Amino acid sequence: MPSFIFILSICLLEVFSERIKATIDCNFDNDLCEWRNKADSCFNWTIGNGKTGDKTSGPIADHTTGSSNGSYALIYGRRSHNSSCSAVIQSPSFYVTENSILSFWYHMNGNGIGSLNVYLVSKHTRQRIWQKTGRQSPDWLLANIPVSPGASKIEMEATAKYHFGSDLAVDDITLRKAPPSLQRTTTTLSPTTIQIAALPINCNFEDGLCGFRTYNSNFSSASWTRKNGTESLGKFTFLHGDNTTGSGSYLSLAIDNNRALIADRASLYIPAIRSQKMVCLTFAYSLPSHTSGVIQIFQTGTTTGNATLMKQLSGYHGLYWKSTFVQFLPSFEPMKIVIEGYYSGEPGCVVTLDDIHLVEGICDVQESKRTTRAVTTTFRPTTKTSPAIVFNKTSSCPSEYFGLLNELSCDFTSNLCNYTTINSPIHWQRKKGAGGNWIARIPERKNTLSGYYLTLNISTYAVRHGEGILKTPENKSNLSMFWNFRTVARKQFRYQS
């Protein structure tokens, strides 16, 4: 009987695996297969053949057959209302029991190309796992995206920057079990072996590895190597020097071409840290080739060994150093940060790192398109001020949250308390009494003595869309309560933690 159950289980898993392939895989030669346009999309994906109507964008043939006989999924940029309008195509629900790879080919060529985003959607989360923005290539390009085990859906979201030169296409979507080199394994460490490093941590690799480890026993064909000078393939130079000075040192993904396999990876281990405040990681990187590999940043718990993917960078990012950041939440448990570089399996796989900074504070930096010197980042520490109002502390509220409630409380009587705003075309402004305009009136606020409140400055007709961002002080809770007043159509309010 036990043998029968074991065999039956294997058979069921194989059948289920084939079912996943049947629902996700699609070459669009038979319409959208089991993919569907999302109901709340601004406009829809459609099926294209041969050339599109736009002479400056879109493919001239599908990827599957390379001819006008085949089909692909397509958005017509001219059907978009504006640059914030998106078309979303959604896969059926699926369940994978092990790490998998979502692969597809995409075509993004034209001055009006917007963005293509891929999301992994589960019951309670919608996580972006891949993104490309702007013109990429006149050819079809391949994307390979790791997918973690679990029940999910895939969503592909496309936008157009302009109404012209903005036709965007995808083709040949597949979901497969990840090769052995991508099956992540973690080792649980004994708490007695953990050494906590003091923050801040800064490294430009001029004098070595700064205490970082590059231990990589599972993939001896790939390693992070400290080097100077250029990154080249034949006569073509991808990179002319490091990010810090142009003549210093940086880390480069070194590959043994005789033994390396696609998706072999090198790991860089930052020393374990522990902080009850927000922690910001910034670093410079370069992915200067269309065959560049992948950079992934993981947060690993030192007691559980569980690894969480925090950010992924892949594909062509231009011929210059870029900067990026990752925000980490407060943690009572020691954590380790691992930066991994993956081999694409192709010549010209250039992956480099430089100027790593890890500090306490909120990341107050935008990802740069180009850097010519070391990454400079402003870290905003939490400044404690007296709260505008005092909460009545009840038995239903744990005592450890009393200080947090005071810090998050604000009726905007005299200032913004501990909150900060980000400059943008639409911004928050502090007002008193009744407000609004001839379109919508805001009643006077009766629940505070001062009558002050925050309102979005949307009085200018020059701004058609945008976001007003208000940042809370650092906190370790998702608790919030606020009053809001909305009357104007097509305005969205979003709370994000």
mmCIF file of all heavy atoms in Angstrom, residues 263-298:
data_model
loop_
_atom_site.group_PDB
_atom_site.id
_atom_site.type_symbol
_atom_site.label_atom_id
_atom_site.label_comp_id
_atom_site.label_asym_id
_atom_site.label_seq_id
_atom_site.Cartn_x
_atom_site.Cartn_y
_atom_site.Cartn_z
ATOM 1 N N ALA A 263 22.827 30.350 -15.632
ATOM 2 C CA ALA A 263 22.272 30.569 -14.285
ATOM 3 C C ALA A 263 23.232 30.184 -13.173
ATOM 4 O O ALA A 263 22.850 30.225 -12.003
ATOM 5 C CB ALA A 263 20.943 29.852 -14.104
ATOM 6 N N ASP A 264 24.492 29.805 -13.477
ATOM 7 C CA ASP A 264 25.487 29.693 -12.407
ATOM 8 C C ASP A 264 25.640 31.063 -11.760
ATOM 9 O O ASP A 264 25.546 32.094 -12.437
ATOM 10 C CB ASP A 264 26.834 29.235 -12.980
ATOM 11 C CG ASP A 264 26.869 27.729 -13.204
ATOM 12 O OD1 ASP A 264 25.844 27.069 -12.954
ATOM 13 O OD2 ASP A 264 27.924 27.217 -13.638
ATOM 14 N N ARG A 265 25.894 31.083 -10.465
ATOM 15 C CA ARG A 265 25.869 32.359 -9.773
ATOM 16 C C ARG A 265 27.023 32.486 -8.773
ATOM 17 O O ARG A 265 27.559 31.489 -8.292
ATOM 18 C CB ARG A 265 24.550 32.554 -9.033
ATOM 19 C CG ARG A 265 24.289 31.564 -7.915
ATOM 20 C CD ARG A 265 22.951 31.869 -7.217
ATOM 21 N NE ARG A 265 22.714 30.990 -6.080
ATOM 22 C CZ ARG A 265 21.989 29.904 -6.115
ATOM 23 N NH1 ARG A 265 21.448 29.524 -7.249
ATOM 24 N NH2 ARG A 265 21.804 29.174 -5.027
ATOM 25 N N ALA A 266 27.351 33.735 -8.478
ATOM 26 C CA ALA A 266 28.331 34.064 -7.441
ATOM 27 C C ALA A 266 27.616 34.868 -6.366
ATOM 28 O O ALA A 266 26.776 35.715 -6.664
ATOM 29 C CB ALA A 266 29.479 34.876 -8.031
ATOM 30 N N SER A 267 27.963 34.592 -5.105
ATOM 31 C CA SER A 267 27.289 35.233 -3.976
ATOM 32 C C SER A 267 28.265 36.113 -3.204
ATOM 33 O O SER A 267 29.392 35.713 -2.923
ATOM 34 C CB SER A 267 26.701 34.177 -3.037
ATOM 35 O OG SER A 267 25.769 33.354 -3.720
ATOM 36 N N LEU A 268 27.802 37.324 -2.855
ATOM 37 C CA LEU A 268 28.559 38.247 -2.029
ATOM 38 C C LEU A 268 27.806 38.410 -0.711
ATOM 39 O O LEU A 268 26.668 38.890 -0.689
ATOM 40 C CB LEU A 268 28.714 39.600 -2.725
ATOM 41 C CG LEU A 268 29.499 40.664 -1.959
ATOM 42 C CD1 LEU A 268 30.968 40.286 -1.870
ATOM 43 C CD2 LEU A 268 29.339 42.037 -2.620
ATOM 44 N N TYR A 269 28.424 38.006 0.393
ATOM 45 C CA TYR A 269 27.781 38.019 1.704
ATOM 46 C C TYR A 269 28.223 39.254 2.487
ATOM 47 O O TYR A 269 29.402 39.417 2.808
ATOM 48 C CB TYR A 269 28.137 36.762 2.493
ATOM 49 C CG TYR A 269 27.669 35.476 1.853
ATOM 50 C CD1 TYR A 269 28.477 34.803 0.938
ATOM 51 C CD2 TYR A 269 26.424 34.947 2.159
ATOM 52 C CE1 TYR A 269 28.049 33.626 0.347
ATOM 53 C CE2 TYR A 269 25.984 33.764 1.576
ATOM 54 C CZ TYR A 269 26.803 33.108 0.670
ATOM 55 O OH TYR A 269 26.380 31.944 0.084
ATOM 56 N N ILE A 270 27.265 40.132 2.776
ATOM 57 C CA ILE A 270 27.534 41.274 3.640
ATOM 58 C C ILE A 270 27.434 40.802 5.087
ATOM 59 O O ILE A 270 26.557 40.004 5.422
ATOM 60 C CB ILE A 270 26.529 42.407 3.359
ATOM 61 C CG1 ILE A 270 26.701 42.883 1.909
ATOM 62 C CG2 ILE A 270 26.704 43.572 4.323
ATOM 63 C CD1 ILE A 270 25.706 43.943 1.485
ATOM 64 N N PRO A 271 28.311 41.248 5.992
ATOM 65 C CA PRO A 271 28.257 40.786 7.378
ATOM 66 C C PRO A 271 26.872 40.974 8.000
ATOM 67 O O PRO A 271 26.133 41.898 7.647
ATOM 68 C CB PRO A 271 29.313 41.655 8.083
ATOM 69 C CG PRO A 271 30.261 42.032 6.991
ATOM 70 C CD PRO A 271 29.445 42.172 5.756
ATOM 71 N N ALA A 272 26.518 40.100 8.928
ATOM 72 C CA ALA A 272 25.210 40.148 9.589
ATOM 73 C C ALA A 272 25.035 41.466 10.329
ATOM 74 O O ALA A 272 25.979 41.996 10.929
ATOM 75 C CB ALA A 272 25.063 38.980 10.556
ATOM 76 N N ILE A 273 23.820 41.993 10.281
ATOM 77 C CA ILE A 273 23.497 43.235 10.976
ATOM 78 C C ILE A 273 22.213 43.038 11.778
ATOM 79 O O ILE A 273 21.462 42.095 11.548
ATOM 80 C CB ILE A 273 23.319 44.421 9.998
ATOM 81 C CG1 ILE A 273 22.139 44.140 9.053
ATOM 82 C CG2 ILE A 273 24.593 44.684 9.228
ATOM 83 C CD1 ILE A 273 21.742 45.338 8.221
ATOM 84 N N ARG A 274 21.970 43.948 12.710
ATOM 85 C CA ARG A 274 20.706 43.945 13.454
ATOM 86 C C ARG A 274 20.397 45.387 13.812
ATOM 87 O O ARG A 274 21.227 46.094 14.375
ATOM 88 C CB ARG A 274 20.814 43.099 14.721
ATOM 89 C CG ARG A 274 19.533 43.149 15.593
ATOM 90 C CD ARG A 274 19.534 42.070 16.650
ATOM 91 N NE ARG A 274 20.772 42.055 17.410
ATOM 92 C CZ ARG A 274 21.208 40.999 18.098
ATOM 93 N NH1 ARG A 274 20.516 39.873 18.090
ATOM 94 N NH2 ARG A 274 22.343 41.055 18.764
ATOM 95 N N SER A 275 19.185 45.828 13.467
ATOM 96 C CA SER A 275 18.803 47.202 13.745
ATOM 97 C C SER A 275 17.307 47.276 13.972
ATOM 98 O O SER A 275 16.535 46.651 13.247
ATOM 99 C CB SER A 275 19.195 48.127 12.590
ATOM 100 O OG SER A 275 18.752 49.447 12.830
ATOM 101 N N GLN A 276 16.905 48.042 14.975
ATOM 102 C CA GLN A 276 15.493 48.278 15.236
ATOM 103 C C GLN A 276 14.988 49.507 14.486
ATOM 104 O O GLN A 276 13.872 49.960 14.713
ATOM 105 C CB GLN A 276 15.262 48.434 16.739
ATOM 106 C CG GLN A 276 15.597 47.180 17.524
ATOM 107 C CD GLN A 276 15.330 47.330 19.013
ATOM 108 O OE1 GLN A 276 14.505 48.134 19.425
ATOM 109 N NE2 GLN A 276 16.025 46.537 19.817
ATOM 110 N N LYS A 277 15.818 50.008 13.561
ATOM 111 C CA LYS A 277 15.427 51.109 12.681
ATOM 112 C C LYS A 277 15.440 50.619 11.239
ATOM 113 O O LYS A 277 15.930 49.551 10.935
ATOM 114 C CB LYS A 277 16.393 52.293 12.842
ATOM 115 C CG LYS A 277 16.413 52.909 14.232
ATOM 116 C CD LYS A 277 17.370 54.080 14.281
ATOM 117 C CE LYS A 277 17.395 54.717 15.658
ATOM 118 N NZ LYS A 277 18.340 55.865 15.719
ATOM 119 N N MET A 278 14.877 51.442 10.363
ATOM 120 C CA MET A 278 14.954 51.136 8.936
ATOM 121 C C MET A 278 16.420 51.145 8.506
ATOM 122 O O MET A 278 17.225 51.923 9.020
ATOM 123 C CB MET A 278 14.177 52.169 8.131
ATOM 124 C CG MET A 278 12.714 52.293 8.504
ATOM 125 S SD MET A 278 11.710 50.987 7.780
ATOM 126 C CE MET A 278 11.370 51.685 6.186
ATOM 127 N N VAL A 279 16.765 50.284 7.556
ATOM 128 C CA VAL A 279 18.130 50.199 7.045
ATOM 129 C C VAL A 279 18.080 50.358 5.525
ATOM 130 O O VAL A 279 17.237 49.748 4.853
ATOM 131 C CB VAL A 279 18.788 48.865 7.427
ATOM 132 C CG1 VAL A 279 20.159 48.730 6.757
ATOM 133 C CG2 VAL A 279 18.925 48.748 8.940
ATOM 134 N N CYS A 280 18.988 51.165 4.995
ATOM 135 C CA CYS A 280 19.025 51.439 3.556
ATOM 136 C C CYS A 280 20.318 50.900 2.948
ATOM 137 O O CYS A 280 21.414 51.205 3.419
ATOM 138 C CB CYS A 280 18.930 52.943 3.301
ATOM 139 S SG CYS A 280 18.972 53.373 1.536
ATOM 140 N N LEU A 281 20.179 50.094 1.916
ATOM 141 C CA LEU A 281 21.316 49.591 1.143
ATOM 142 C C LEU A 281 21.340 50.310 -0.201
ATOM 143 O O LEU A 281 20.330 50.344 -0.912
ATOM 144 C CB LEU A 281 21.183 48.083 0.905
ATOM 145 C CG LEU A 281 22.146 47.471 -0.126
ATOM 146 C CD1 LEU A 281 23.576 47.464 0.403
ATOM 147 C CD2 LEU A 281 21.713 46.061 -0.519
ATOM 148 N N THR A 282 22.472 50.927 -0.538
ATOM 149 C CA THR A 282 22.659 51.502 -1.869
ATOM 150 C C THR A 282 23.939 50.944 -2.466
ATOM 151 O O THR A 282 24.885 50.617 -1.745
ATOM 152 C CB THR A 282 22.757 53.038 -1.840
ATOM 153 O OG1 THR A 282 23.918 53.430 -1.100
ATOM 154 C CG2 THR A 282 21.529 53.655 -1.212
ATOM 155 N N PHE A 283 23.968 50.825 -3.775
ATOM 156 C CA PHE A 283 25.194 50.396 -4.442
ATOM 157 C C PHE A 283 25.140 50.807 -5.903
ATOM 158 O O PHE A 283 24.067 51.098 -6.460
ATOM 159 C CB PHE A 283 25.393 48.875 -4.315
ATOM 160 C CG PHE A 283 24.307 48.038 -4.931
ATOM 161 C CD1 PHE A 283 24.392 47.601 -6.249
ATOM 162 C CD2 PHE A 283 23.201 47.661 -4.176
ATOM 163 C CE1 PHE A 283 23.391 46.817 -6.805
ATOM 164 C CE2 PHE A 283 22.199 46.883 -4.718
ATOM 165 C CZ PHE A 283 22.298 46.449 -6.039
ATOM 166 N N ALA A 284 26.315 50.859 -6.514
ATOM 167 C CA ALA A 284 26.435 51.108 -7.947
ATOM 168 C C ALA A 284 26.584 49.772 -8.656
ATOM 169 O O ALA A 284 27.163 48.829 -8.125
ATOM 170 C CB ALA A 284 27.646 51.999 -8.237
ATOM 171 N N TYR A 285 26.044 49.692 -9.868
ATOM 172 C CA TYR A 285 26.116 48.449 -10.632
ATOM 173 C C TYR A 285 26.199 48.779 -12.116
ATOM 174 O O TYR A 285 25.883 49.894 -12.547
ATOM 175 C CB TYR A 285 24.889 47.572 -10.361
ATOM 176 C CG TYR A 285 23.614 48.103 -10.982
ATOM 177 C CD1 TYR A 285 23.182 47.676 -12.235
ATOM 178 C CD2 TYR A 285 22.850 49.060 -10.322
ATOM 179 C CE1 TYR A 285 22.027 48.181 -12.807
ATOM 180 C CE2 TYR A 285 21.690 49.569 -10.876
ATOM 181 C CZ TYR A 285 21.287 49.124 -12.127
ATOM 182 O OH TYR A 285 20.145 49.632 -12.704
ATOM 183 N N SER A 286 26.592 47.788 -12.878
ATOM 184 C CA SER A 286 26.613 47.930 -14.328
ATOM 185 C C SER A 286 26.145 46.634 -14.975
ATOM 186 O O SER A 286 26.652 45.555 -14.652
ATOM 187 C CB SER A 286 28.023 48.287 -14.818
ATOM 188 O OG SER A 286 28.061 48.344 -16.233
ATOM 189 N N LEU A 287 25.151 46.761 -15.861
ATOM 190 C CA LEU A 287 24.691 45.664 -16.720
ATOM 191 C C LEU A 287 24.697 46.222 -18.146
ATOM 192 O O LEU A 287 23.666 46.587 -18.699
ATOM 193 C CB LEU A 287 23.282 45.207 -16.314
ATOM 194 C CG LEU A 287 23.137 44.578 -14.925
ATOM 195 C CD1 LEU A 287 21.665 44.396 -14.571
ATOM 196 C CD2 LEU A 287 23.851 43.232 -14.867
ATOM 197 N N PRO A 288 25.890 46.326 -18.762
ATOM 198 C CA PRO A 288 26.037 47.120 -19.976
ATOM 199 C C PRO A 288 25.845 46.360 -21.283
ATOM 200 O O PRO A 288 26.153 46.890 -22.347
ATOM 201 C CB PRO A 288 27.484 47.610 -19.865
ATOM 202 C CG PRO A 288 28.192 46.476 -19.187
ATOM 203 C CD PRO A 288 27.184 45.854 -18.253
ATOM 204 N N SER A 289 25.349 45.137 -21.228
ATOM 205 C CA SER A 289 25.235 44.314 -22.431
ATOM 206 C C SER A 289 23.835 43.733 -22.523
ATOM 207 O O SER A 289 23.174 43.495 -21.513
ATOM 208 C CB SER A 289 26.272 43.182 -22.394
ATOM 209 O OG SER A 289 25.972 42.181 -23.342
ATOM 210 N N HIS A 290 23.378 43.488 -23.742
ATOM 211 C CA HIS A 290 22.082 42.824 -23.929
ATOM 212 C C HIS A 290 22.149 41.369 -23.477
ATOM 213 O O HIS A 290 21.111 40.724 -23.320
ATOM 214 C CB HIS A 290 21.657 42.903 -25.398
ATOM 215 C CG HIS A 290 21.201 44.268 -25.814
ATOM 216 N ND1 HIS A 290 20.016 44.822 -25.384
ATOM 217 C CD2 HIS A 290 21.793 45.212 -26.588
ATOM 218 C CE1 HIS A 290 19.881 46.034 -25.895
ATOM 219 N NE2 HIS A 290 20.945 46.293 -26.629
ATOM 220 N N THR A 291 23.350 40.845 -23.277
ATOM 221 C CA THR A 291 23.501 39.488 -22.739
ATOM 222 C C THR A 291 24.031 39.512 -21.309
ATOM 223 O O THR A 291 24.552 38.513 -20.827
ATOM 224 C CB THR A 291 24.441 38.661 -23.641
ATOM 225 O OG1 THR A 291 25.699 39.345 -23.777
ATOM 226 C CG2 THR A 291 23.830 38.444 -25.009
ATOM 227 N N SER A 292 23.937 40.691 -20.661
ATOM 228 C CA SER A 292 24.309 40.749 -19.246
ATOM 229 C C SER A 292 23.430 39.805 -18.446
ATOM 230 O O SER A 292 22.315 39.471 -18.856
ATOM 231 C CB SER A 292 24.154 42.180 -18.704
ATOM 232 O OG SER A 292 25.201 43.004 -19.157
ATOM 233 N N GLY A 293 23.937 39.388 -17.301
ATOM 234 C CA GLY A 293 23.200 38.444 -16.485
ATOM 235 C C GLY A 293 22.187 39.128 -15.586
ATOM 236 O O GLY A 293 21.536 40.100 -15.985
ATOM 237 N N VAL A 294 22.071 38.657 -14.356
ATOM 238 C CA VAL A 294 21.061 39.114 -13.416
ATOM 239 C C VAL A 294 21.738 39.426 -12.079
ATOM 240 O O VAL A 294 22.664 38.736 -11.666
ATOM 241 C CB VAL A 294 19.968 38.044 -13.208
ATOM 242 C CG1 VAL A 294 18.932 38.502 -12.183
ATOM 243 C CG2 VAL A 294 19.296 37.699 -14.535
ATOM 244 N N ILE A 295 21.272 40.484 -11.406
ATOM 245 C CA ILE A 295 21.672 40.780 -10.035
ATOM 246 C C ILE A 295 20.443 40.605 -9.145
ATOM 247 O O ILE A 295 19.378 41.156 -9.448
ATOM 248 C CB ILE A 295 22.211 42.218 -9.889
ATOM 249 C CG1 ILE A 295 23.479 42.409 -10.732
ATOM 250 C CG2 ILE A 295 22.508 42.539 -8.426
ATOM 251 C CD1 ILE A 295 23.981 43.848 -10.757
ATOM 252 N N GLN A 296 20.588 39.833 -8.079
ATOM 253 C CA GLN A 296 19.504 39.653 -7.117
ATOM 254 C C GLN A 296 20.008 39.969 -5.714
ATOM 255 O O GLN A 296 21.137 39.611 -5.370
ATOM 256 C CB GLN A 296 18.950 38.229 -7.162
ATOM 257 C CG GLN A 296 18.171 37.903 -8.432
ATOM 258 C CD GLN A 296 17.508 36.542 -8.388
ATOM 259 O OE1 GLN A 296 17.945 35.655 -7.658
ATOM 260 N NE2 GLN A 296 16.451 36.373 -9.151
ATOM 261 N N ILE A 297 19.151 40.621 -4.931
ATOM 262 C CA ILE A 297 19.490 40.945 -3.549
ATOM 263 C C ILE A 297 18.534 40.182 -2.637
ATOM 264 O O ILE A 297 17.298 40.301 -2.774
ATOM 265 C CB ILE A 297 19.398 42.461 -3.269
ATOM 266 C CG1 ILE A 297 20.418 43.224 -4.135
ATOM 267 C CG2 ILE A 297 19.675 42.749 -1.789
ATOM 268 C CD1 ILE A 297 19.916 43.648 -5.472
ATOM 269 N N PHE A 298 19.080 39.390 -1.715
ATOM 270 C CA PHE A 298 18.293 38.580 -0.801
ATOM 271 C C PHE A 298 18.525 39.040 0.634
ATOM 272 O O PHE A 298 19.624 39.450 1.003
ATOM 273 C CB PHE A 298 18.675 37.097 -0.894
ATOM 274 C CG PHE A 298 18.278 36.443 -2.186
ATOM 275 C CD1 PHE A 298 19.150 36.429 -3.272
ATOM 276 C CD2 PHE A 298 17.044 35.832 -2.327
ATOM 277 C CE1 PHE A 298 18.803 35.822 -4.461
ATOM 278 C CE2 PHE A 298 16.685 35.227 -3.510
ATOM 279 C CZ PHE A 298 17.569 35.214 -4.584
#
